[in-house]
Amino acid sequence: MPKQPINVVLNGKPVTLEVEPRTTLLRALREFGVTSVKRGCEEGECGTCTVLLDGKLQKSCMVLAVEAEGRKVVTSEGLLGPDGELHPVQKAFVEEGAIQCGFCTPGMVLAAVDLLNRHPDPTDEQIKEGLSGNLCRCTGYVSIIRAVHKAAAMLKERR
Amino acid sequence: MLAFEMERPASLKEAFEILSRSGPDTAVKAGGTDLLVWMKKNLVHPELIVDLSLIEELKGISFDPSGGLVIGALATVNEVAEHPQVGKFYPALMDAALSHSDFVMRNKATVVGNLCSAVPSGDMIAPCCVYEGVMHLVGPAGRRKVPVMEFITGPRKNVLQKGEIVKSVELPLPKGHSAGCYLKLGRRNALDLAQVGVACVITDGPGEREYRLSFGAVTPRPVRAKVAEDLLRGVVSPDESLLDKVAEAAMACVDPITDVRASREYRISMVGELTKKALRKCLERF
Ligand SMILES: Cc1cc2nc3c(=O)[nH]c(=O)nc-3n(C[C@H](O)[C@H](O)[C@H](O)COP(=O)(O)OP(=O)(O)OC[C@H]3O[C@@H](n4cnc5c(N)ncnc54)[C@H](O)[C@@H]3O)c2cc1C
Ligand code: FES
Ligand code: FES
């Protein structure tokens, strides 16, 4: 099947990806060199491939790349500040030891950013619900929940 | 995943033009969360996928007290869960939506896609049955309306003809004061298919109190527990012995399978327990 070009705005920059109809957004992004988007189960279960598509969380293995035509994609790289400084959520994950092997982290961080947009001061229950699509095999989630609370406080201070 | 071609029509008219000249190995796609997984597992091999996701006429959810709730074919499970009238008038649907997969998947999975897939564990099926949902179909031969109960004819089977698609599902507003709930038994809180689902609605309609019960994952095609519903009709607060009879009647109308998730016997006994629990919860919410 011949490849076709699609245009997306990736982390704020317009780019062109060469894809087949069957190419998932996950594979297209990784082929383009965006390696923070992890290939886990490729069946929608694990959440390591999570991205923000037009501001909404999506598992990129469940999105065909052509569906992203003309849309905005944000990955964990896109959360960095203008001088490359970590986003408060990323910072909190580092500080709270919420990262062990790190495979789940890029997706988990995006899910946490989206959660804090919707619930700036979340309860444990809201955190669990917001991160329910992202599995972590290492941390046992306790440090992740702590990191999200910390990020919420950091974001509040910034405002 | 095997290679395929893809069309992305921008209107229903364009979609029907494509569908009318396409071959037998054509599949339409809404969210694609079932379709992509089935293709990956080699269960289906479409040559052409018609992606409906750009078609404006299929988007959105509307509510009108005289007609009810109309859920467009592209409305995601999260859009339904976040709709204010769903929480207020369709709590069984709301519970079921929040029990579907996980927060991220619900941004992609559609309610109508869930009904079209017709997988017995589909969480949208039982709530749409207790709200007496009607599917609005459009196709080359025109439009027709089919109740959800008749739309699904067996596991992964529905009444859609070649070239026909579902435009929306309409759930009439229950008459009078009502309450509802959906209970789902899975092995974990998120991302688990139902072993048993029970949807229950109670209404104080124009006449006497009415009860509606339907089940997920335990019948090859949708059922309403008519005998159980009749036992309860007109009863304002059922006592334990009546609830036991109702549970027996509920268990008699299911026909579950044994699979990796649970055995047939376990599922049947859970239908009884969950039916009583769902009724108590609905009465509490009433
Ligand atoms: C990780 C994961 C977890 C899941 N968890 C759950 C769960 O907890 N509960 C549950 O019920 N399901 C679950 N599912 C299954 C799936 O997400 C749902 O069935 C979903 O709601 C289907 O909607 P869709 O838009 O993605 O359908 P699609 O994949 O786009 O379509 C499904 C089928 O319906 C047909 N179709 C879709 N729309 C139309 C239309 N308008 N007209 C005609 N035909 C149409 C397609 O041709 C296809 O055959 C899960 C799936 C995954 C991958
Ligand atoms: S790789 Fe996409 S959810 Fe697992
Ligand atoms: S840190 Fe290893 S999977 Fe989460």
Side-chain angles (χ1 to χ4, degrees):
Chain A
M1 197 67 48
K3 290 198 174 186
Q4 62 184 88
I6 59 154
N7 299 304
V8 303
V9 179
L10 175 62
N11 295 325
K13 289 194 202 80
V15 300
T16 303
L17 310 173
E18 295 286 330
V19 303
E20 286 182 54
R22 66 171 161 175
T23 312
T24 58
L25 180 60
L26 164 65
R27 292 200 173 205
L29 288 170
R30 287 189 62 84
E31 264 164 44
F32 193 74
V34 188
T35 51
S36 75
V37 185
K38 300 289 180 224
R39 207 172 114 192
C41 64
E42 292 197 280
E43 288 185 4
E45 304 273 350
C46 74
T48 57
C49 65
T50 303
V51 298
L52 286 164
L53 185 60
D54 280 348
K56 274 207 158 94
L57 288 177
Q58 295 291 354
K59 297 188 180 179
S60 62
C61 68
M62 289 283 110
V63 180
L64 293 171
V66 289
E67 292 181 66
E69 167 66 44
R71 300 170 74 184
K72 294 193 190 76
V73 180
V74 173
T75 67
S76 190
E77 289 91 341
L79 296 176
L80 298 179
D83 301 318
E85 70 272 19
L86 293 181
H87 184 281
V89 172
Q90 293 169 319
K91 225 170 145 205
F93 268 63
V94 174
E95 288 173 7
E96 288 301 321
I99 305 172
Q100 286 183 28
C101 78
F103 200 75
C104 70
T105 310
M108 195 70 85
V109 162
L110 287 165
V113 168
D114 176 75
L115 164 78
L116 292 170
N117 278 337
R118 289 178 293 115
H119 303 287
D121 201 4
T123 61
D124 280 5
E125 271 319 301
Q126 285 168 331
I127 296 175
K128 285 181 195 163
E129 166 67 16
L131 303 185
S132 58
N134 296 75
L135 303 184
C136 176
R137 301 294 302 272
C138 304
T139 64
Y141 303 100
V142 176
S143 54
I144 291 178
I145 292 171
R146 213 165 49 222
V148 175
H149 282 302
K150 183 162 189 173
M154 285 156 75
L155 285 164
K156 211 185 276 172
E157 230 166 75
R158 211 164 71 164
R159 251 177 276 125
Chain B
M1 212 188 301
L2 291 177
F4 53 83
E5 287 186 50
M6 181 138 126
E7 294 274 6
R8 306 191 75 207
S11 66
L12 274 179
K13 189 167 165 277
E14 216 185 296
F16 290 129
E17 278 163 19
I18 296 165
L19 290 169
S20 70
R21 57 182 151 79
S22 67
D25 293 322
T26 302
V28 301
K29 177 183 96 53
T33 63
D34 272 325
L35 195 59
L36 259 56
V37 172
W38 295 343
M39 287 195 300
K40 246 205 103 205
K41 293 189 171 157
N42 270 316
L43 297 173
V44 295
H45 315 98
E47 281 172 8
L48 173 69
I49 290 185
V50 181
D51 179 19
L52 305 176
S53 67
L54 298 178
I55 303 177
E56 279 309 315
E57 298 122 289
L58 300 180
K59 292 184 182 167
I61 301 167
S62 63
F63 176 76
D64 156 19
S66 61
L69 189 74
V70 178
I71 303 172
L74 292 173
T76 63
V77 179
N78 268 349
E79 278 165 27
V80 167
E82 284 156 15
H83 195 279
Q85 260 79 36
V86 171
K88 200 161 162 202
F89 298 120
Y90 300 89
L93 181 64
M94 174 83 169
D95 287 353
L98 293 177
S99 82
H100 185 293
S101 61
D102 62 57
F103 181 77
V104 187
M105 289 298 300
R106 295 201 290 268
N107 276 338
K108 193 86 169 96
T110 65
V111 170
V112 167
N114 192 267
L115 299 171
C116 289
S117 286
V119 174
S121 63
D123 282 310
M124 300 300 116
I125 300 172
C128 286
C129 290
V130 288
Y131 289 117
E132 305 187 325
V134 178
M135 306 291 269
H136 291 230
L137 278 49
V138 275
R143 297 166 180 268
R144 55 183 180 132
K145 295 183 185 180
V146 182
V148 174
M149 297 274 297
E150 289 158 34
F151 175 80
I152 297 172
T153 52
R156 291 162 157 247
K157 289 200 177 70
N158 63 41
V159 302
L160 286 172
Q161 303 283 320
K162 185 180 177 303
E164 202 173 30
I165 66 165
V166 177
K167 186 164 184 281
S168 59
V169 58
E170 178 177 0
L171 308 183
L173 183 67
K175 296 217 164 44
H177 186 52
S178 74
C181 77
Y182 178 72
L183 295 182
K184 170 174 171 177
L185 183 73
R187 286 167 307 180
R188 52 195 291 268
N189 268 336
L191 266 181
D192 206 2
L193 299 183
Q195 293 171 346
V196 179
V198 176
C200 176
V201 166
I202 307 181
T203 69
D204 263 351
E208 54 191 353
R209 180 163 291 192
E210 237 189 72
Y211 295 75
R212 303 181 198 156
L213 287 163
S214 183
F215 310 102
V218 286
T219 56
R221 47 180 300 179
V223 293
R224 284 268 301 274
K226 285 287 176 201
V227 175
E229 292 178 2
D230 288 344
L231 283 170
L232 287 160
R233 188 185 314 279
V235 181
V236 175
S237 47
D239 59 20
E240 283 303 311
S241 76
L242 180 56
L243 286 182
D244 285 338
K245 285 197 200 97
V246 168
E248 285 296 326
M251 283 153 67
C253 71
V254 300
D255 186 13
I257 55 163
T258 291
D259 69 7
V260 289
R261 281 190 289 275
S263 70
R264 172 182 166 88
E265 293 68 32
Y266 177 70
R267 286 189 155 112
I268 293 178
S269 73
M270 289 320 285
V271 164
E273 287 309 308
L274 283 190
T275 297
K276 288 195 271 185
K277 208 169 153 187
L279 283 163
R280 289 193 200 102
K281 185 157 181 180
C282 266
L283 288 163
E284 252 168 51
R285 284 183 173 178
F286 203 79

